[in-house]
Amino acid sequence: MSTQVHIDHAPWFTEARFGMFVHWGLYSLAARHEWVMYREQISVENYKKYFEHFDPDLYDPREWAAAAKAAGMKYVVLTTKHHDGFCLWDSALTDYKSSNTPYGKDLLTPYVEALREAGLKVGFYHSVIDWHHPDFPIDANHADRNNPDAVEINKTRDIAKYRAYLHGQVRELLSNYGQIDYLFFDFSYPNAGGTAPAGDKFPGKGRTDWGSEELMGMIRELQPGIVVNDRLDIPGDFVTPEQYQPAGAMMSGDKLVPWEACQTLNGSWGYDRDNLDYKSADLLIRMLIDGVAKGGNLLLNVGPTARGEIDARAKDALAGMGEWLRVHGRSIYGAEAAAAVPPSDARYTRRGNRLYVHLFAWPFEYVHLPALAGKVAYAQLLNDASEVALLVLDPDQEAGHMTPAGQAAGTLTIKLPVQRPNVAVPVIELFLNDESDI
């Protein structure tokens, strides 16, 4: 039986399977991680130098959209405001925005237009944390957490005023840019959390602080078709494992839920000039396959430079994924988890009456698929639609000098060419006799 679950008001989400995350803002000038303000405990005053020099003269969201589309991605999600509080749009509620930098313009309008032109779904990320706002109380996840006057400073801060600001900005984002398909909030920590000893002296923040129920109600009213993640400390439309691959289908409470793994190319979300720990296209393709085989999406991040470009290393990785998806996309888009258990070093995805065998390791001549004997009408390599032979070995067959031993009853054996196809991950497409619970 399939473990796949869908979002009723937005069936596109689990059809799409693959999206681009974009972390971009003032931290791109520092070029050493998007949490640089927190990590280095930079004051608002000292962080101001990035605001005064933000001028992304090479920003062209049509190039971002083209890169996403060429990679096989179906949606894009951009940081409208990260934890440092800087806004990429001309918000009426703050002066800390792109239109007041040397660049002097709203960055979201051309972004939304570029995605729509490219036929991509439009996504916004929005931080509920804000290290810049004067009414956001200092806590263990704050850049100013070790300020010796933090407790006294907090006496002057009013979370209710910040909550009104948060709701007002979300209203702007969902009212001024037409249809928005996706909203990613980041993040709640109702327990103190943070880094000791700061975590011991500050309370955390969650649904009460954000006014999450009221906020979600407003979102549903303004954008009924939108999908919203699970980081407001209340349930959302999908859950968001970050920087790890789930072991299987994911649960919220006692029920299966849609999920999306958000992953980086090199461990940093924002542009990190000296971070060389880039994942290969082959590894990223395996991560995408692994997620879909377990019923999930992949949201893969890029961190554009301070001038607004996706750097060459990221472009190369995206291009490699796109080439594999160009040929193998029908094993991913709209596919879901299968009930059958694949052999080791393989992953199954299922779409209608077709089962896809993704081979992470290329075997010598034969691959054995338990419990599929009699259930497959035809088989081919997906990269070139070349037939591969179907065999059922006698379970009682004894191994001989040149004769392999039989396989367990019900096992389907596929005979493969000795030469591995020249693709990152070879895929066998199996045409099933029916749409039973395979």
Side-chain angles (χ1 to χ4, degrees):
M1 173 178 267
S2 170
T3 58
Q4 185 57 38
V5 285
H6 301 277
I7 299 173
D8 291 340
H9 65 273
W12 69 267
F13 181 73
T14 48
E15 170 75 23
R17 288 304 182 203
F18 188 27
M20 176 187 279
F21 216 173
V22 184
H23 276 66
W24 191 49
L26 298 185
Y27 44 81
S28 303
L29 284 81
R32 52 185 190 274
H33 203 278
E34 74 288 346
W35 278 60
V36 62
M37 187 178 179
Y38 173 92
R39 286 181 165 190
E40 300 178 16
Q41 300 182 56
I42 303 172
S43 68
V44 167
E45 183 60 32
N46 288 335
Y47 199 74
K48 189 178 179 182
K49 63 185 176 182
Y50 302 126
F51 179 80
E52 293 171 342
H53 290 88
F54 184 74
D55 189 11
D57 57 318
L58 299 180
Y59 172 58
D60 184 352
R62 286 183 176 84
E63 291 188 0
W64 293 6
K69 196 151 188 176
M73 294 156 160
K74 303 297 185 181
Y75 56 108
V76 182
V77 182
L78 172 63
T79 50
T80 62
K81 184 197 81 165
H82 204 259
H83 308 328
D84 62 3
F86 176 68
C87 300
L88 298 190
W89 79 103
D90 188 22
S91 174
L93 301 177
T94 183
D95 293 329
Y96 200 50
K97 55 189 178 182
S98 60
S99 52
N100 285 343
T101 66
Y103 188 70
K105 288 179 276 188
D106 165 44
L107 294 161
L108 293 190
T109 296
Y111 161 78
V112 171
E113 290 174 352
L115 264 56
R116 291 206 183 105
E117 288 174 10
L120 298 166
K121 296 291 186 182
V122 178
F124 287 160
Y125 162 111
H126 195 73
S127 173
V128 293
I129 298 169
D130 196 315
W131 301 326
H132 181 272
H133 197 280
D135 276 303
F136 188 88
I138 297 169
D139 57 36
N141 283 316
H142 198 287
D144 210 21
R145 63 199 176 282
N146 290 321
N147 187 325
D149 298 321
V151 173
E152 288 302 310
I153 291 170
N154 276 348
K155 292 178 181 178
T156 70
R157 299 193 170 193
D158 185 351
I159 191 66
K161 290 181 180 178
Y162 175 72
R163 184 165 53 247
Y165 174 76
L166 168 64
H167 287 220
Q169 287 207 316
V170 172
R171 179 175 290 279
E172 286 183 338
L173 291 170
L174 300 186
S175 300
N176 299 339
Y177 295 95
Q179 179 178 326
I180 304 302
D181 303 294
Y182 177 117
L183 187 56
F184 188 114
F185 285 110
D186 198 24
F187 62 94
S188 297
Y189 40 105
N191 299 318
T195 304
D200 299 330
K201 64 182 180 182
F202 297 118
K205 291 184 176 67
R207 67 187 72 183
T208 302
D209 303 281
W210 318 134
S212 297
E213 296 286 357
E214 297 82 2
L215 182 57
M216 190 69 83
M218 179 184 74
I219 292 165
R220 300 297 187 199
E221 179 183 345
L222 293 172
Q223 298 277 352
I226 203 168
V227 296
V228 186
N229 76 334
D230 63 331
R231 298 194 179 188
L232 285 177
D233 193 29
I234 59 174
D237 295 312
F238 59 97
V239 299
T240 52
E242 179 175 337
Q243 298 281 47
Y244 72 92
Q245 288 295 108
M250 297 201 73
M251 308 287 290
S252 180
D254 59 353
K255 65 177 183 179
L256 289 166
V257 291
W259 62 268
E260 174 188 69
C262 39
Q263 299 278 10
T264 58
L265 286 172
N266 65 352
S268 177
W269 299 98
Y271 179 59
D272 195 344
R273 182 192 60 212
D274 301 329
N275 182 341
L276 304 180
D277 198 16
Y278 275 77
K279 301 175 182 71
S280 68
D282 285 8
L283 175 58
L284 294 166
I285 290 164
R286 284 164 170 74
M287 290 167 64
L288 172 62
I289 294 165
D290 180 71
V292 177
K294 297 167 182 173
N297 287 23
L298 173 63
L299 186 64
L300 182 63
N301 183 76
V302 298
T305 71
R307 295 188 70 182
E309 288 192 308
I310 298 173
D311 73 48
R313 295 167 294 187
K315 286 180 179 176
D316 288 346
L318 296 179
M321 298 187 78
E323 176 53 28
W324 185 86
L325 280 162
R326 182 184 68 82
V327 178
H328 300 90
R330 69 183 187 229
S331 74
I332 298 295
Y333 305 124
E336 56 189 47
V341 178
S344 60
D345 292 327
R347 300 290 188 277
Y348 285 155
T349 62
R350 169 79 182 267
R351 184 171 182 171
N353 72 336
R354 300 186 193 190
L355 183 70
Y356 296 94
V357 188
H358 301 81
L359 296 172
F360 284 10
W362 187 251
F364 172 58
E365 273 200 288
Y366 300 104
V367 62
H368 306 290
L369 308 180
L372 293 189
K375 297 182 179 181
V376 177
Y378 186 77
Q380 63 184 17
L381 290 172
L382 184 52
N383 62 288
D384 62 0
S386 60
E387 183 183 13
V388 289
L390 301 175
L391 307 171
V392 178
L393 303 181
D394 183 349
D396 298 323
Q397 178 174 292
E398 294 185 3
H401 291 305
M402 299 183 66
T403 306
Q407 295 292 313
T411 299
L412 175 67
T413 296
I414 296 178
K415 186 174 183 181
L416 298 170
V418 173
Q419 289 294 322
R420 179 185 185 279
N422 187 26
V423 295
V425 177
V427 180
I428 305 167
E429 185 174 42
L430 304 179
F431 293 76
L432 303 174
N433 290 322
D434 58 46
E435 294 190 27
S436 59
D437 57 347
I438 292 176

